[in-house]
Amino acid sequence: MLSAERIKHEARSLGFDAVGIISLRQDPSEHGAPQRLRRLQEWLQRGYHASMSWMERDPARRADPGRILPGCRSIICVAMNYNTGHRPTEGPGLGRIARYAWGKDYHGVMESRLRQLEAMILEQVPDTRTRVYVDTGPIMEKSLAQQAGIGWIGKHSNLVSSDHGSWLLLGEILTTLELPGDEPGTDLCGSCSLCIKACPTGAISEPYVVDARRCISYLTIEYRGDRESIPDDLASAIGNHIFGCDDCLDVCPFNLRADPSVHAEFLPQPGTLAPRLDELTDFTEARFAETFHSSPLKRAKHAGLMRNAAIAQDNESRAS
């Protein structure tokens, strides 16, 4: 019988910085599915998902992994630390990119390791069924990671680990293999509200709840509208952010004391620490595709990054 300890050892040997397991029993209430569904439905009803319409598709399935993989008995949750300890370069004419996008695209980095872990499980237990996700499937990753004991969901709605802070990328293996579960993570945010105060747009509408319509990460990555469709107050608050935003993470005490990542894949690629706005606005679609083919920045698409760089330039000119 393949043990949970063997799986965790293999996960760490593959480079995952944290691993935890959720045991799913027949009653979904034992693994938090009803609570996840209720929170998701409340969030959707407020319209906080903005234009991300895929979040509305079958919320009950999104909240309950047992509906995704019939017969699912366990979820193996993993995480990798992406903060290499570098600092963004600030200065005239420079944009700001979120840390997770400085290196290679984490989807490929993590999925290749998860596939190796999956292969080991299938080799040891050939009759089990599995499904692998890295920020791509209809599951609520942060809630599952908390349930698996990797950390807790902070007031900025990101996962926080007492060892790694919020600089974690998440992945999962759903499996019909029955494994013992870990204790859920305990919320250690206490009375701290630094992340809420740090948000430039007030997107954290209340502790643990983010309104994507006002979130800089959403506006600079997921939103496909042009500059004219972004309210002036939000465009101004974007500042020099051209892809994502770390402002709520930068102030978290757990992030300030977290150890840097050892993964070379997440080291900054050329131009990510100090992207020149004037150079970016000259990018053709072909140059954009060539430069960012292995980068998370491709998510914004050429039009989105050009829009963001133009907003940052306009904000700088207004401030000078």
Side-chain angles (χ1 to χ4, degrees):
M1 182 66 179
L2 182 61
S3 69
E5 289 71 25
R6 169 74 187 283
I7 291 173
K8 291 179 180 179
H9 175 78
E10 184 70 15
R12 293 190 179 96
S13 71
L14 288 169
F16 293 113
D17 298 299
V19 56
I21 295 174
I22 303 172
S23 175
L24 303 184
R25 304 190 184 278
Q26 291 185 352
D27 183 359
S29 65
E30 295 190 21
H31 57 84
Q35 293 86 349
R36 281 193 293 271
L37 177 58
R38 184 179 67 254
R39 290 196 301 270
L40 176 57
Q41 289 176 327
E42 290 174 353
W43 188 73
L44 292 170
Q45 287 168 2
R46 294 183 182 185
Y48 283 179
H49 57 304
S51 65
M52 296 181 288
S53 58
W54 64 87
M55 299 291 295
E56 302 176 79
R57 298 173 195 156
D58 200 351
R61 182 171 182 261
R62 187 176 292 275
D64 184 3
R67 295 181 178 229
I68 299 172
L69 178 64
C72 184
R73 289 290 176 266
S74 308
I75 303 176
I76 303 161
C77 297
V78 298
M80 290 183 75
N81 176 11
Y82 64 86
N83 181 27
T84 59
H86 292 78
R87 293 291 180 267
T89 303
E90 296 283 3
L94 301 180
R96 181 83 178 268
I97 295 170
R99 280 175 177 79
Y100 82 87
W102 288 354
K104 292 183 178 179
D105 191 337
Y106 64 93
H107 295 91
V109 172
M110 294 190 70
E111 184 176 348
S112 64
R113 287 169 166 79
L114 271 177
R115 292 296 180 189
Q116 293 179 65
L117 182 60
E118 178 190 42
M120 185 275 285
I121 294 171
L122 294 175
E123 180 181 1
Q124 295 294 317
V125 190
D127 62 344
T128 191
R129 287 177 289 118
T130 56
R131 190 162 294 183
V132 170
Y133 290 116
V134 180
D135 193 24
T136 52
I139 56 177
M140 299 173 70
E141 289 191 308
K142 292 179 287 187
S143 177
L144 294 177
Q146 177 169 356
Q147 191 72 21
I150 290 179
W152 70 94
I153 296 177
K155 292 179 182 177
H156 46 34
S157 84
N158 294 290
L159 192 78
V160 187
S161 159
S162 55
D163 294 322
H164 306 290
S166 295
W167 313 120
L168 290 175
L169 300 164
L170 306 176
E172 303 78 30
I173 297 179
L174 279 60
T175 176
T176 55
L177 181 65
E178 192 155 348
L179 299 166
D182 293 299
E183 287 295 317
T186 300
D187 188 340
L188 300 179
C189 286
S191 61
C192 180
S193 59
L194 290 174
C195 60
I196 298 174
K197 297 173 183 175
C199 180
T201 61
I204 307 175
S205 62
E206 61 186 77
Y208 310 101
V209 179
V210 171
D211 181 351
R213 296 171 299 185
R214 301 189 63 84
C215 179
I216 290 175
S217 286
Y218 165 76
L219 291 169
T220 58
I221 300 173
E222 301 294 340
Y223 184 60
R224 299 296 178 229
D226 57 18
R227 165 60 186 91
E228 286 66 32
S229 64
I230 300 176
D232 290 342
D233 64 321
L234 292 180
S236 176
I238 286 174
N240 69 336
H241 294 89
I242 61 172
F243 188 92
C245 179
D246 287 330
D247 287 12
C248 65
L249 304 182
D250 285 334
V251 298
C252 177
F254 290 96
N255 287 342
L256 296 174
R257 65 191 187 207
D259 292 331
S261 172
V262 298
H263 305 296
E265 296 94 335
F266 300 136
L267 288 171
Q269 297 189 81
T272 55
L273 287 179
R276 292 193 56 84
L277 298 173
D278 56 355
E279 292 182 1
L280 283 176
T281 52
D282 286 337
F283 269 34
T284 62
E285 288 198 42
R287 186 180 177 189
F288 172 86
E290 179 183 0
T291 303
F292 300 122
H293 72 279
S294 63
S295 165
L297 272 76
K298 64 179 179 289
R299 176 70 179 178
K301 302 188 181 302
H302 175 260
L305 196 63
M306 297 306 100
R307 176 202 62 202
N308 300 341
I311 290 174
Q313 283 184 318
D314 185 53
N315 288 334
E316 183 176 61
S317 66
R318 290 174 182 271
S320 59

